[in-house]
């Protein structure tokens, strides 16, 4: 997985609540058993007027030149709700996004983001609006810096703090692979299983 | 120290604490489907890994497969055949139990997990699917994960999990005859909002919950994800134990007594502390219908559609406007002013035998038929549900009333580029998501109970069943 330390980039505002994973990457856009090939499908229902012909909707920020090269996304509450599809994270990353700043996140999306090196940053509504206003002056020039080490979003003279649990921070900073980490607990897992087999033998179907 | 039901489930599976926020949790059962499970299995194979406890992993075909009679690996979804074949090959290579297209036990993942006894009280279960929380209805600790986490669970029999908060939602009063478990959960989402359970393990409690059948409890817990909750649980009781007895993967006779004794320890201690508590009175609960594009846009079936001008803040006002534009609805009108084009009974929310009976009984009693011009479908959740329904003659009831009777699967619950409702169609549906485009391009979905769906199908417009 890709590690994350600090990132400066163009921010694309999408200040809506409950942006769901069906909108981020519709099921019909996931055509292969793969984590890639999702770029065109990202936000397809909002990004295109005619989905099949890919006719761009110029009202949607992704289709506006001021947000060219955007790598930070801003949204409202409960971002990434709905389906558990990790494709939502993969599609955002394929399009170059490294950070999503939102008022809150759906749990599965949040976990998926952490596991792929996409930084989910939760900020208050007021902070979101301040940030949006600063970026709106000139999105290509007013580019926020998101620093995981210090837990801050820097936007001009404002410095906004954000929280990140220490274990999630460590994982993101190092880009460590979780399966590898968990292997270090192999003995504890086996001890648990041996005791549990006595307590709940019916769970262990290999004995049937 | 007094513990909640969730605390007990957590403690029983906590191998160790990894940090002050995160624990390593033992995963008893992993269930996969061809949509996201295929990727989890492929990632595992790419790492050269095996399934650590292959008897604890199960896979079904439900999302992509066709639900028309005589189906095979061909499906209308672009690339769908590849998902089916990739899943089958991977499941065979990993030597895990697969319920393939024509297996008599095939069905929607969250319908077969309880009915085959794969999900059990006091056990953990994960699946790369957000509606895994359904299984909390049995008293299991079950939650949806992404594909990467599913790979981790397959490889290690564990997950690294952040401990959620505890939130008890207590229903007060008896459920009125015209209302169902589906109406209860739509009501909860409407009251608490689509983010109202964020970061929490919900516990549904109260006499009305204890009176629900296991199938009703599964419906109730199914939509916890629509509250952004980590999961939901209901304390297991005799109703659950009776339901599970004799199911293929449930404890065998030799272990049954010990299992039941163990299961009986899973309840919230009377003095246990919850981070949040919500009390909802349901004595006068009316059938609920959704009007907008989020499940929180739900209301009493006969209420008036809200006016964005009256919204509390600008973001809500814009959201209501956008939803009403998409849904082609006028503020302050009533849902019964709108004709429907289609009606759908199915999905992991409402495709079990009791759901089909509920709708079938309405057709039998009323003698009504589907209104002209309305496309109506009934898709049983599993092979077992389908056969049981047919044994009662329900297939004939549905067919002769004008419903199509399908093979089990997710079917038109979601649109993946294959089968869909007509562009712009207004659909009344027993499913769980009314998101834009969920059931087809520009399709307008209204969420409802099986009873309201069948009543609307026969009326030709949005309505609820019962005396009114
Ligand atoms: S029935 Fe619908 S909600 Fe349920 S698992 Fe299938 S696609 Fe998902």
């Amino acid at each position: 997985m890709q590690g994350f330390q600090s990132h400066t980039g163009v921010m694309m505002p999408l200040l809506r609540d409950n942006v769901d994973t069906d909108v981020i990457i519709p099921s019909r856009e996931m055509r292969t058993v793969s984590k890639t090939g999702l770029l065109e499908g990202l936000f397809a229902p909002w990004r295109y007027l005619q989905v099949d012909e890919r006719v761009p909707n110029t009202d949607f920020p992704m289709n506006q030149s001021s947000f060219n090269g955007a790598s930070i996304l801003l949204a409202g509450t409960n971002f990434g709700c709905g389906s558990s599809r990790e494709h939502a994270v993969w599609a955002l990353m394929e399009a170059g996004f490294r950070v999503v700043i939102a008022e809150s996140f759906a749990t599965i999306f949040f976990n998926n983001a952490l596991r792929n090196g996409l930084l989910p940053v939760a900020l208050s509504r007021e902070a979101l609006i301040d940030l949006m206003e600063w970026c709106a002056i000139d999105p290509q020039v007013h580019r926020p810096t998101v620093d995981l080490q210090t837990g801050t979003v820097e936007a001009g003279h404002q410095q906004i703090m954000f929280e990140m649990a220490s274990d999630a921070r460590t994982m993101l900073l190092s880009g460590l692979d979780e399966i590898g980490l968990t292997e270090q607990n192999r003995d504890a897992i086996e001890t648990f299983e041996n005791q549990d087999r006595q307590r709940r033998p019916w769970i262990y179907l290999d004995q049937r | 120290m007094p513990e909640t039901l969730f605390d007990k489930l957590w403690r029983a599976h906590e191998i160790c604490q990894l940090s002050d926020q995160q624990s390593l949790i033992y995963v008893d059962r992993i269930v996969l489907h061809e949509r996201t499970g295929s990727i989890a299995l492929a990632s595992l194979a790419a790492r050269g890994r095996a399934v650590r406890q292959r008897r604890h992993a199960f896979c079904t075909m439900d999302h992509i497969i066709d639900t028309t009679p005589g189906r095979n690996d061909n499906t209308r979804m672009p690339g769908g055949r590849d998902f089916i074949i990739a899943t089958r090959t991977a499941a065979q290579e990993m030597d895990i139990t697969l319920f393939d297209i024509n297996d008599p036990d095939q069905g929607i993942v969250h319908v077969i997990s309880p009915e085959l006894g794969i999900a059990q009280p006091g056990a953990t279960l994960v699946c790369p699917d957000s509606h895994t929380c359904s299984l909390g209805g049995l008293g299991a600790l079950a939650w949806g994960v992404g594909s990467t986490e599913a790979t981790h669970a397959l490889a290690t029999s564990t997950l690294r999990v952040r401990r959620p908060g505890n939130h008890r939602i207590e229903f007060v009063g008896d459920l009125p005859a015209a209302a169902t478990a589906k109406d209860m959960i739509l009501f909860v989402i409407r009251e608490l909002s689509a983010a109202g359970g964020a970061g929490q393990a919900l516990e549904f409690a109260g006499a009305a919950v204890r009176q629900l059948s296991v199938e009703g409890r599964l419906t109730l817990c199914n939509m916890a994800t629509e509250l952004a909750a980590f999961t939901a649980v209901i304390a297991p009781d005799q109703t659950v134990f009776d339901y599970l007895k004799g199911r293929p993967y449930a404890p065998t006779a030799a272990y049954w007594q010990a299992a039941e004794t163990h299961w009986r320890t899973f309840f919230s201690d009377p003095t246990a502390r919850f981070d949040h508590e919500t009390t909802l009175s349901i004595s006068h609960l009316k059938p609920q219908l959704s009007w907008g594009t989020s499940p929180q846009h739900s209301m009493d079936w006969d209420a008036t559609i809200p006016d964005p001008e009256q919204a509390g803040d600008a973001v809500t006002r814009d959201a209501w406007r956008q939803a009403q534009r998409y849904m082609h609805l006028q503020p302050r009108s009533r849902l019964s002013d709108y004709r429907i084009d289609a009606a759908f009974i199915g999905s992991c929310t409402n495709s079990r035998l009791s759901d089909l009976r509920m709708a079938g009984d309405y057709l039998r009693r009323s003698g009504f038929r589907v209104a002209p011009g309305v496309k109506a479908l009934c898709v049983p959740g599993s092979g077992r549900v389908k056969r049981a329904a047919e044994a009662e003659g329900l297939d004939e009831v549905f067919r002769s009333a004008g419903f199509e009777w399908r093979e089990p699967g997710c079917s038109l619950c979601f649109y993946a580029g294959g089968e869909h409702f007509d562009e712009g169609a207004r659909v009344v549906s027993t499913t769980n998501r009314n998101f834009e485009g969920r059931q087809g391009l520009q399709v307008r979905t209204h969420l409802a109970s099986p009873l309201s769906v069948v009543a609307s199908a026969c009326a030709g417009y949005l309505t609820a069943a019962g005396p009114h």
Side-chain angles (χ1 to χ4, degrees):
Chain A
M1 151 189 143
Q2 213 175 337
F4 188 103
Q5 276 87 34
S6 169
H7 177 82
T8 305
V10 174
M11 191 180 84
M12 182 180 111
L14 190 63
L15 192 55
R16 299 188 192 181
D17 291 340
N18 304 313
V19 173
D20 60 75
T21 55
D22 277 72
V23 161
I24 301 172
I25 182 81
S27 205
R28 63 180 176 278
E29 305 285 352
M30 299 155 37
R31 292 164 204 230
T32 61
V33 189
S34 140
K35 303 179 179 180
T36 57
L38 302 166
L39 182 55
E40 273 200 24
L42 179 66
F43 291 120
W46 293 346
R47 181 173 160 197
Y48 307 115
L49 289 173
Q50 286 288 328
V51 173
D52 294 338
E53 285 85 45
R54 303 293 197 216
V55 179
N57 170 9
T58 49
D59 288 343
F60 192 68
M62 261 184 105
N63 297 321
Q64 298 166 358
S65 58
S66 44
F67 302 113
N68 272 353
S71 55
I72 303 174
L73 180 69
L74 180 136
T77 57
N78 203 23
F79 183 83
C81 62
S83 155
S84 67
R85 66 187 65 152
E86 201 158 321
H87 305 70
V89 170
W90 299 328
L92 284 165
M93 294 194 76
E94 199 175 329
F97 287 101
R98 294 302 324 275
V99 183
V100 183
I101 301 177
E103 204 175 333
S104 64
F105 294 89
T107 313
I108 303 177
F109 178 89
F110 188 87
N111 287 335
N112 287 342
L114 291 183
R115 281 162 179 83
N116 288 277
L118 175 72
L119 181 69
V121 173
L123 294 183
S124 70
R125 171 80 44 158
E126 299 75 58
L128 287 180
I129 289 172
D130 289 349
L131 191 58
M132 210 167 79
E133 284 172 353
W134 180 76
C135 293
I137 298 168
D138 185 348
Q140 292 291 331
V141 176
H142 279 204
R143 301 185 307 159
T145 295
V146 184
D147 191 320
L148 180 59
Q149 197 83 58
T150 56
T152 54
V153 179
E154 229 181 80
H157 55 270
Q158 337 175 32
Q159 263 223 349
I160 310 161
M161 307 290 287
F162 66 88
E163 305 263 328
M164 180 63 61
S166 59
D167 45 12
R169 181 196 302 253
T170 313
M171 197 172 99
L172 276 165
L173 285 171
S174 66
L176 273 181
D177 173 87
E178 281 206 312
I179 295 183
L181 274 179
T182 300
E183 302 279 70
Q184 298 168 8
N185 297 99
R186 188 182 300 165
D187 291 348
I189 298 170
E190 280 171 11
T191 308
F192 175 91
E193 261 177 350
N194 290 335
Q195 290 168 354
D196 195 41
R197 267 178 202 276
Q198 309 298 314
R199 205 161 47 102
R200 303 185 305 156
W202 59 88
I203 288 293
Y204 293 85
L205 298 176
D206 52 349
Q207 293 175 334
R208 295 230 302 222
Chain B
M1 214 177 75
E3 289 180 305
T4 66
L5 165 58
F6 168 78
D7 294 337
K8 291 179 184 178
L9 289 162
W10 183 269
R11 182 167 51 78
H13 293 87
E14 188 175 47
I15 297 166
C16 58
Q17 276 199 357
L18 298 167
S19 69
D20 50 346
Q21 303 114 348
Q22 217 184 22
S23 292
L24 189 64
I25 297 293
Y26 193 76
V27 175
D28 295 324
R29 300 284 181 265
I30 304 162
V31 194
L32 306 169
H33 59 66
E34 83 279 30
R35 186 64 170 155
T36 52
S38 49
I39 293 183
L41 289 170
S43 304
L44 192 66
R47 305 176 67 107
R49 303 291 302 248
V51 178
R52 188 171 173 283
Q53 285 275 16
R54 58 184 186 79
R55 287 286 153 255
H56 296 181
F58 300 82
C59 184
T60 187
M61 303 274 193
D62 56 359
H63 275 64
I64 291 173
I65 52 162
D66 219 80
T67 51
T68 46
R71 64 182 173 186
N72 54 32
D73 288 356
N74 294 326
T75 145
R76 279 167 273 191
M77 194 200 114
R81 193 186 155 87
D82 298 341
F83 279 85
I84 293 169
I85 292 171
T87 305
R88 178 180 300 133
T89 311
Q92 283 165 354
E93 274 167 11
M94 294 288 170
D95 196 14
I96 63 173
T97 306
L98 171 68
F99 304 107
D100 209 337
I101 299 186
N102 290 318
D103 191 296
D105 287 335
Q106 174 271 341
I108 303 174
V109 61
H110 316 305
V111 175
I112 67 168
S113 294
E115 108 190 330
L116 297 176
I118 295 168
Q120 295 173 17
T124 48
L125 181 151
V126 300
C127 169
D129 189 283
S130 56
H131 290 102
T132 309
C133 51
S134 310
L135 291 330
L138 289 177
L141 181 59
W143 69 99
V145 296
S147 298
T148 301
E149 284 196 275
T151 306
H152 184 284
L154 289 164
T156 67
S157 310
T158 69
L159 278 177
R160 309 168 76 89
V161 198
R162 182 166 311 276
R163 189 181 181 122
N166 271 296
H167 183 169
R168 175 160 57 189
I169 298 176
E170 174 141 18
F171 295 96
V172 178
D174 291 330
L175 190 63
T180 69
K182 179 65 165 287
D183 302 301
M184 288 166 79
I185 189 64
L186 286 174
F187 179 59
V188 175
I189 300 167
R190 154 191 162 183
E191 291 296 303
L192 297 184
S193 93
Q200 299 161 355
L202 310 177
E203 178 180 346
F204 293 120
V209 174
R210 286 192 296 279
Q211 281 154 22
L212 285 178
S213 67
V214 167
E215 300 193 356
R217 298 178 194 190
L218 295 166
T219 299
L220 191 59
C221 291
N222 175 268
M223 291 183 74
T225 189
E226 270 65 60
L227 287 146
F230 171 76
T231 192
V233 283
I234 293 172
D237 59 10
Q238 195 62 44
T239 306
V240 172
F241 311 150
D242 292 344
Y243 168 93
L244 274 177
K245 206 160 196 170
R247 298 194 179 257
Y249 297 96
T252 51
Y255 292 127
W256 186 265
Q257 205 44 55
E260 211 182 292
T261 308
H262 178 71
W263 295 341
R264 284 188 197 283
T265 63
F266 289 98
F267 58 87
S268 286
D269 296 327
T271 55
R273 259 207 59 244
F274 290 85
D275 303 304
H276 300 269
E277 293 202 56
T278 301
T279 307
L280 294 172
S281 167
I282 51 163
S283 319
H284 302 290
L285 184 66
K286 288 188 178 180
Q288 303 289 300
L289 287 176
S290 74
W291 57 265
T293 52
S294 162
Q296 76 182 11
H297 298 153
S298 291
M299 61 182 200
D300 290 356
W301 73 276
D302 57 352
T304 52
I305 292 160
D307 186 343
E309 296 310 321
Q310 251 115 61
D313 60 90
V315 176
T316 308
R317 186 191 60 215
D318 293 348
W320 285 4
R321 274 207 190 121
Q322 198 195 338
Q324 292 178 3
R325 205 177 312 128
Y326 181 87
M327 296 295 290
H328 278 216
L329 298 173
Q330 292 304 316
R332 295 189 305 277
S333 61
R334 282 175 205 277
L335 286 171
S336 54
D337 298 338
Y338 298 90
R339 301 200 66 79
I340 56 166
D341 304 295
F344 180 76
I345 298 177
S347 89
C348 56
T349 320
N350 283 124
S351 65
R352 300 181 181 84
L353 187 60
S354 57
D355 300 311
L356 272 39
R357 277 184 184 150
M358 193 190 294
D361 283 349
Y362 176 88
L363 294 171
R364 272 187 181 131
R365 266 186 292 114
S366 66
F368 293 161
R369 296 186 36 111
V370 172
V374 174
K375 174 189 171 85
L377 267 88
C378 181
V379 188
S382 71
R384 285 181 178 237
V385 169
K386 181 167 185 265
R387 289 191 300 279
E390 287 172 350
E392 294 179 12
L394 282 169
D395 54 330
E396 235 350 89
V397 172
F398 281 110
R399 272 206 204 91
S400 57
F403 273 84
E404 271 183 59
W405 180 251
R406 291 284 187 98
E407 296 296 322
C410 298
S411 192
L412 273 82
C413 172
F414 83 121
Y415 169 54
E419 202 182 6
H420 54 83
F421 289 107
D422 291 345
E423 187 157 346
R426 189 178 298 286
V427 184
V428 60
S429 178
T430 64
T431 52
N432 44 45
R433 288 192 176 135
N434 50 352
F435 298 159
E436 291 183 24
R438 174 77 182 179
Q439 295 185 298
L441 294 177
Q442 299 300 317
V443 166
R444 305 179 181 114
T445 299
H446 294 273
L447 305 176
S449 74
L451 207 48
S452 301
V453 168
V454 75
S456 302
C458 296
Y461 51 84
L462 290 162
T463 188
H468 52 256

